[in-house]
Amino acid sequence: MPDETTTRPTHPTPDPTAETTTGTTTGTPTDLRETVRQRYAAAALRVTAGSTACCGPEPVEVDDRFGAHLYDADDRDALPAEAVAASLGCGNPTAVAELREGERVLDLGSGGGIDVLLSARRVGPAGKAYGLDMTDEMLALALANAKKAGAANVEFLKGTIESIPLPAGTIDVVISNCVINLSTDKSAVFAETFRVLRPGGRLGVSDIVAEDTLSPARRAELGDHAGCVAGALSFTEYREGLAAAGFTGIEITPTHEAANGMHSAIVRAVKPSAA
C-alpha cells in the first residue's frame, strides 16, 4: 500500500458550461477543479490560523445545512477542535457506512480529516482508515489533527478522486462527505471506487443530489460548483452512473434539503462478490 502522506479537496463554485461525464457545469474541468482547490485551501488556512490565534478560531463561513453540527456531540467532542471546525460536509458518512472492526476504509476528499479519524476509531487497531485529498493545505491540517488525536491507524494520500493512488481490491468501504458532486468526471470517480473495493465491498457516502426535474442549467442557478450545488447529479443520473460502474444494491435516500430541489442524501451501493 502507498505510504505517501498529504491532503484532500473540498467543495467548489459552478460554471454552467464545464463538461462532466454525467451532467454539466460551467467552466472547464481544470478551472472548476482549481476553484474547488482554492476554496478548500482557504478554509484550511482559516482553521489553521484560528488554532494559533489568542482569541480562538475564526469561524469558517458555511451554510447551516452543512458542517460539524451534522455529527453527534460525542463524535465531535472526541476529536481535535480543528478537525471539527474544518468539517464542510453534508452528512455523517461514518455512521451510514456501518463500519466494522478490522475494516479498511477510504475517505474520498478527506479534508481536515474528521471522517478519517472517526473511521479509525470505529475500525480499531486491526483496521485502517485512508484519507485522499488534492489540497496541500487540507492534507497538512489533517496530518496535524491525526497527530493530536493520537491516531496510529490512519494514512493521508495526495491525489484526486478520479485517480485513486491505491491498488485494486484493497478497500472494504469507501466513504465520502459532499465531495463527489465537486468532481468534473463522476464516471471516473465511480469506476475508481469500484476498482479499489474488494469483491463484496461497499460504498456509503453523503452527497448532494438533485431532483430529476432540475436541469443542469437550473442546478447552476441554485448555487455554485464549489458550494456543492451546480455539479450535483440527479437521482437518476447517480443511480445510472453507479450501475454503469458495476455497483448493485444501489440506494439513494434524501435526508434534508440543501437548496430548492437539491437534497443532502445517503448513497449506498455494493461491489458484487463475483466481480
PDB file of all heavy atoms in Angstrom, residues 11-30:
ATOM      1  N   HIS A  11     -15.406  21.454  -1.279  1.00  0.00           N
ATOM      2  CA  HIS A  11     -16.486  21.728  -2.226  1.00  0.00           C
ATOM      3  C   HIS A  11     -16.376  23.025  -3.060  1.00  0.00           C
ATOM      4  O   HIS A  11     -16.149  24.072  -2.528  1.00  0.00           O
ATOM      5  CB  HIS A  11     -17.794  21.748  -1.457  1.00  0.00           C
ATOM      6  CG  HIS A  11     -17.811  20.735  -0.361  1.00  0.00           C
ATOM      7  ND1 HIS A  11     -17.466  19.428  -0.564  1.00  0.00           N
ATOM      8  CD2 HIS A  11     -18.061  20.850   0.951  1.00  0.00           C
ATOM      9  CE1 HIS A  11     -17.549  18.779   0.571  1.00  0.00           C
ATOM     10  NE2 HIS A  11     -17.897  19.610   1.480  1.00  0.00           N
ATOM     11  N   PRO A  12     -16.666  23.013  -4.463  1.00  0.00           N
ATOM     12  CA  PRO A  12     -16.451  24.112  -5.436  1.00  0.00           C
ATOM     13  C   PRO A  12     -17.609  25.027  -5.819  1.00  0.00           C
ATOM     14  O   PRO A  12     -18.719  24.823  -5.469  1.00  0.00           O
ATOM     15  CB  PRO A  12     -15.977  23.389  -6.668  1.00  0.00           C
ATOM     16  CG  PRO A  12     -16.499  22.029  -6.551  1.00  0.00           C
ATOM     17  CD  PRO A  12     -16.876  21.763  -5.105  1.00  0.00           C
ATOM     18  N   THR A  13     -17.365  26.108  -6.696  1.00  0.00           N
ATOM     19  CA  THR A  13     -18.369  27.019  -7.270  1.00  0.00           C
ATOM     20  C   THR A  13     -18.565  26.767  -8.771  1.00  0.00           C
ATOM     21  O   THR A  13     -17.611  26.719  -9.505  1.00  0.00           O
ATOM     22  CB  THR A  13     -17.900  28.475  -7.104  1.00  0.00           C
ATOM     23  OG1 THR A  13     -17.458  28.667  -5.805  1.00  0.00           O
ATOM     24  CG2 THR A  13     -19.007  29.462  -7.442  1.00  0.00           C
ATOM     25  N   PRO A  14     -19.821  26.641  -9.270  1.00  0.00           N
ATOM     26  CA  PRO A  14     -20.039  26.098 -10.607  1.00  0.00           C
ATOM     27  C   PRO A  14     -19.925  27.054 -11.768  1.00  0.00           C
ATOM     28  O   PRO A  14     -20.166  28.223 -11.661  1.00  0.00           O
ATOM     29  CB  PRO A  14     -21.472  25.614 -10.541  1.00  0.00           C
ATOM     30  CG  PRO A  14     -22.097  26.522  -9.559  1.00  0.00           C
ATOM     31  CD  PRO A  14     -21.033  26.995  -8.619  1.00  0.00           C
ATOM     32  N   ASP A  15     -19.676  26.490 -12.929  1.00  0.00           N
ATOM     33  CA  ASP A  15     -19.720  27.210 -14.183  1.00  0.00           C
ATOM     34  C   ASP A  15     -20.599  26.371 -15.111  1.00  0.00           C
ATOM     35  O   ASP A  15     -20.243  25.269 -15.428  1.00  0.00           O
ATOM     36  CB  ASP A  15     -18.290  27.347 -14.728  1.00  0.00           C
ATOM     37  CG  ASP A  15     -18.255  28.039 -16.041  1.00  0.00           C
ATOM     38  OD1 ASP A  15     -18.937  27.573 -16.961  1.00  0.00           O
ATOM     39  OD2 ASP A  15     -17.532  29.018 -16.164  1.00  0.00           O
ATOM     40  N   PRO A  16     -21.760  26.868 -15.545  1.00  0.00           N
ATOM     41  CA  PRO A  16     -22.707  26.074 -16.303  1.00  0.00           C
ATOM     42  C   PRO A  16     -22.179  25.451 -17.586  1.00  0.00           C
ATOM     43  O   PRO A  16     -22.880  24.681 -18.213  1.00  0.00           O
ATOM     44  CB  PRO A  16     -23.844  27.046 -16.620  1.00  0.00           C
ATOM     45  CG  PRO A  16     -23.703  28.158 -15.641  1.00  0.00           C
ATOM     46  CD  PRO A  16     -22.249  28.189 -15.254  1.00  0.00           C
ATOM     47  N   THR A  17     -20.984  25.772 -18.022  1.00  0.00           N
ATOM     48  CA  THR A  17     -20.513  25.237 -19.297  1.00  0.00           C
ATOM     49  C   THR A  17     -19.517  24.104 -19.180  1.00  0.00           C
ATOM     50  O   THR A  17     -19.176  23.462 -20.149  1.00  0.00           O
ATOM     51  CB  THR A  17     -19.852  26.353 -20.122  1.00  0.00           C
ATOM     52  OG1 THR A  17     -18.760  26.856 -19.399  1.00  0.00           O
ATOM     53  CG2 THR A  17     -20.837  27.442 -20.461  1.00  0.00           C
ATOM     54  N   ALA A  18     -19.010  23.886 -17.988  1.00  0.00           N
ATOM     55  CA  ALA A  18     -17.996  22.845 -17.837  1.00  0.00           C
ATOM     56  C   ALA A  18     -18.610  21.491 -18.101  1.00  0.00           C
ATOM     57  O   ALA A  18     -19.637  21.146 -17.558  1.00  0.00           O
ATOM     58  CB  ALA A  18     -17.434  22.884 -16.443  1.00  0.00           C
ATOM     59  N   GLU A  19     -17.924  20.664 -18.889  1.00  0.00           N
ATOM     60  CA  GLU A  19     -18.459  19.348 -19.208  1.00  0.00           C
ATOM     61  C   GLU A  19     -18.092  18.359 -18.125  1.00  0.00           C
ATOM     62  O   GLU A  19     -17.021  18.399 -17.574  1.00  0.00           O
ATOM     63  CB  GLU A  19     -17.902  18.853 -20.542  1.00  0.00           C
ATOM     64  CG  GLU A  19     -18.332  19.714 -21.717  1.00  0.00           C
ATOM     65  CD  GLU A  19     -17.902  19.120 -23.016  1.00  0.00           C
ATOM     66  OE1 GLU A  19     -17.299  18.029 -22.980  1.00  0.00           O
ATOM     67  OE2 GLU A  19     -18.165  19.743 -24.051  1.00  0.00           O
ATOM     68  N   THR A  20     -19.032  17.472 -17.822  1.00  0.00           N
ATOM     69  CA  THR A  20     -18.768  16.374 -16.908  1.00  0.00           C
ATOM     70  C   THR A  20     -19.194  15.103 -17.623  1.00  0.00           C
ATOM     71  O   THR A  20     -19.955  15.133 -18.582  1.00  0.00           O
ATOM     72  CB  THR A  20     -19.573  16.515 -15.598  1.00  0.00           C
ATOM     73  OG1 THR A  20     -20.960  16.458 -15.936  1.00  0.00           O
ATOM     74  CG2 THR A  20     -19.271  17.817 -14.903  1.00  0.00           C
ATOM     75  N   THR A  21     -18.729  13.971 -17.106  1.00  0.00           N
ATOM     76  CA  THR A  21     -19.114  12.715 -17.756  1.00  0.00           C
ATOM     77  C   THR A  21     -20.597  12.473 -17.586  1.00  0.00           C
ATOM     78  O   THR A  21     -21.237  11.844 -18.394  1.00  0.00           O
ATOM     79  CB  THR A  21     -18.325  11.560 -17.134  1.00  0.00           C
ATOM     80  OG1 THR A  21     -16.969  11.949 -17.101  1.00  0.00           O
ATOM     81  CG2 THR A  21     -18.454  10.301 -17.921  1.00  0.00           C
ATOM     82  N   THR A  22     -21.161  12.943 -16.460  1.00  0.00           N
ATOM     83  CA  THR A  22     -22.584  12.814 -16.230  1.00  0.00           C
ATOM     84  C   THR A  22     -23.082  14.162 -15.767  1.00  0.00           C
ATOM     85  O   THR A  22     -22.776  14.581 -14.666  1.00  0.00           O
ATOM     86  CB  THR A  22     -22.869  11.777 -15.130  1.00  0.00           C
ATOM     87  OG1 THR A  22     -22.021  10.665 -15.303  1.00  0.00           O
ATOM     88  CG2 THR A  22     -24.280  11.329 -15.131  1.00  0.00           C
ATOM     89  N   GLY A  23     -23.818  14.867 -16.582  1.00  0.00           N
ATOM     90  CA  GLY A  23     -24.285  16.188 -16.200  1.00  0.00           C
ATOM     91  C   GLY A  23     -23.265  17.247 -16.599  1.00  0.00           C
ATOM     92  O   GLY A  23     -22.162  16.962 -17.010  1.00  0.00           O
ATOM     93  N   THR A  24     -23.649  18.532 -16.518  1.00  0.00           N
ATOM     94  CA  THR A  24     -22.751  19.612 -16.900  1.00  0.00           C
ATOM     95  C   THR A  24     -22.723  20.704 -15.866  1.00  0.00           C
ATOM     96  O   THR A  24     -23.665  20.886 -15.124  1.00  0.00           O
ATOM     97  CB  THR A  24     -23.179  20.230 -18.245  1.00  0.00           C
ATOM     98  OG1 THR A  24     -24.510  20.731 -18.120  1.00  0.00           O
ATOM     99  CG2 THR A  24     -23.106  19.231 -19.369  1.00  0.00           C
ATOM    100  N   THR A  25     -21.615  21.465 -15.837  1.00  0.00           N
ATOM    101  CA  THR A  25     -21.492  22.662 -15.024  1.00  0.00           C
ATOM    102  C   THR A  25     -20.690  23.659 -15.836  1.00  0.00           C
ATOM    103  O   THR A  25     -20.234  23.349 -16.921  1.00  0.00           O
ATOM    104  CB  THR A  25     -20.783  22.352 -13.695  1.00  0.00           C
ATOM    105  OG1 THR A  25     -19.681  21.531 -13.964  1.00  0.00           O
ATOM    106  CG2 THR A  25     -21.693  21.674 -12.717  1.00  0.00           C
ATOM    107  N   THR A  26     -20.502  24.888 -15.288  1.00  0.00           N
ATOM    108  CA  THR A  26     -19.886  25.927 -16.110  1.00  0.00           C
ATOM    109  C   THR A  26     -18.396  26.062 -15.893  1.00  0.00           C
ATOM    110  O   THR A  26     -17.943  26.077 -14.786  1.00  0.00           O
ATOM    111  CB  THR A  26     -20.535  27.269 -15.783  1.00  0.00           C
ATOM    112  OG1 THR A  26     -21.922  27.162 -15.978  1.00  0.00           O
ATOM    113  CG2 THR A  26     -20.016  28.356 -16.661  1.00  0.00           C
ATOM    114  N   GLY A  27     -17.624  26.277 -17.006  1.00  0.00           N
ATOM    115  CA  GLY A  27     -16.182  26.415 -16.905  1.00  0.00           C
ATOM    116  C   GLY A  27     -15.513  25.125 -17.324  1.00  0.00           C
ATOM    117  O   GLY A  27     -16.162  24.105 -17.388  1.00  0.00           O
ATOM    118  N   THR A  28     -14.239  25.163 -17.611  1.00  0.00           N
ATOM    119  CA  THR A  28     -13.546  23.935 -17.979  1.00  0.00           C
ATOM    120  C   THR A  28     -13.338  23.080 -16.739  1.00  0.00           C
ATOM    121  O   THR A  28     -13.320  23.597 -15.614  1.00  0.00           O
ATOM    122  CB  THR A  28     -12.175  24.249 -18.595  1.00  0.00           C
ATOM    123  OG1 THR A  28     -11.323  24.786 -17.570  1.00  0.00           O
ATOM    124  CG2 THR A  28     -12.304  25.253 -19.728  1.00  0.00           C
ATOM    125  N   PRO A  29     -13.167  21.757 -16.900  1.00  0.00           N
ATOM    126  CA  PRO A  29     -12.900  20.910 -15.729  1.00  0.00           C
ATOM    127  C   PRO A  29     -11.692  21.388 -14.930  1.00  0.00           C
ATOM    128  O   PRO A  29     -11.709  21.365 -13.702  1.00  0.00           O
ATOM    129  CB  PRO A  29     -12.665  19.534 -16.354  1.00  0.00           C
ATOM    130  CG  PRO A  29     -13.497  19.549 -17.594  1.00  0.00           C
ATOM    131  CD  PRO A  29     -13.379  20.959 -18.115  1.00  0.00           C
ATOM    132  N   THR A  30     -10.654  21.855 -15.626  1.00  0.00           N
ATOM    133  CA  THR A  30      -9.463  22.336 -14.926  1.00  0.00           C
ATOM    134  C   THR A  30      -9.772  23.569 -14.108  1.00  0.00           C
ATOM    135  O   THR A  30      -9.348  23.702 -12.949  1.00  0.00           O
ATOM    136  CB  THR A  30      -8.340  22.651 -15.933  1.00  0.00           C
ATOM    137  OG1 THR A  30      -8.021  21.458 -16.648  1.00  0.00           O
ATOM    138  CG2 THR A  30      -7.102  23.160 -15.222  1.00  0.00           C
TER     139      THR A  30
END
